[in-house]
């Protein structure tokens, strides 16, 4: 647990120190974006809501932001309820992939954080994967945003989970 906290603190310090060297791109809309969506953890059948705010731009194509989510699910064997906090890093690949349409953003995302919650069940919970009950949360995905206008976008992410939602440029 101590190493996880040290890793998170190091990540935050690197984020703030490297944001000084960030470069701007004409069609890049990462920083100051609030992303909100409905999430599902693939393979478990859970539903929840996640929000992240892209705080800083790292280099030319990367952003990092604070992330929070609530997720819960139940079936005939067990009930779960989790709240998570962490960081989400996005690599906007538009420039690298040669996407010149300002209405689209394509990105890879990665999540690192901690989850808190409880699990209760009827009988044996051994059929639940260890990643489900682990307090450290890691996730990866690929996604895209379609900008309806300069302030509102639709987004989708598929990877270790799925997220469909709306992004607001603040």
């Amino acid at each position: 647990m101590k190493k996880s906290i040290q890793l998170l603190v190091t990540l935050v310090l690197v984020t703030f120190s490297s944001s000084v060297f960030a470069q701007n791109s004409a069609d890049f809309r990462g920083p100051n974006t609030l992303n909100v969506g409905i999430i599902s953890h693939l393979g478990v059948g859970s539903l929840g809501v996640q929000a992240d705010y892209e705080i800083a731009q790292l280099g030319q194509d990367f952003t990092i932001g604070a992330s929070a989510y609530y997720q819960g699910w139940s079936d005939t064997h067990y009930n779960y309820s989790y709240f998570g906090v962490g960081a989400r890093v996005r690599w906007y690949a538009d420039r690298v992939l040669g996407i010149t349409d300002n209405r689209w953003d394509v990105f890879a995302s990665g999540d690192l954080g901690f989850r808190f919650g409880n699990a209760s069940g009827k009988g044996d919970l051994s059929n639940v994967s260890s990643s489900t009950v682990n307090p450290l949360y890691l996730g990866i995905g690929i996604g895209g945003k379609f900008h309806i206008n300069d302030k509102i976008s639709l987004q989708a992410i598929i990877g270790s989970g799925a997220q469909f939602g709306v992004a607001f440029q603040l």
Side-chain angles (χ1 to χ4, degrees), residues 9-144:
V9 169
T10 302
L11 181 64
V12 169
L13 291 175
V14 168
T15 298
F16 290 118
S17 65
S18 60
S19 66
V20 173
F21 302 106
Q23 301 172 8
N24 291 325
S25 175
D27 63 345
F28 181 65
R29 299 183 190 165
N32 300 319
T33 301
L34 175 64
N35 303 287
V36 180
I38 296 173
I39 59 172
S40 176
H41 184 85
L42 301 179
V44 179
S46 66
L47 284 176
V49 63
Q50 180 169 12
D52 69 89
Y53 181 72
E54 295 176 64
I55 298 169
Q57 183 174 340
L58 306 173
Q60 189 169 5
D61 300 322
F62 291 86
T63 63
I64 189 165
S67 176
Y69 76 91
Y70 170 80
Q71 189 172 19
W73 65 96
S74 67
D75 67 12
T76 57
H77 300 290
Y78 52 89
N79 298 313
Y80 283 92
S81 177
Y82 284 107
F83 175 74
V85 293
R88 174 170 277 176
V89 177
R90 280 189 173 87
W91 170 50
Y92 285 91
D94 302 37
R95 183 180 59 84
V96 173
L97 297 174
I99 299 170
T100 58
D101 189 341
N102 289 345
R103 295 184 71 100
W104 287 96
D105 281 328
V106 177
F107 57 87
S109 67
D111 294 306
L112 172 64
F114 299 95
R115 67 176 80 171
F116 311 94
N118 63 3
S120 62
K122 300 175 185 174
D124 184 19
L125 293 177
S126 63
N127 64 335
V128 178
S129 71
S130 61
S131 65
T132 304
V133 293
N134 188 342
L136 181 63
Y137 175 76
L138 299 169
I140 59 169
I142 58 170

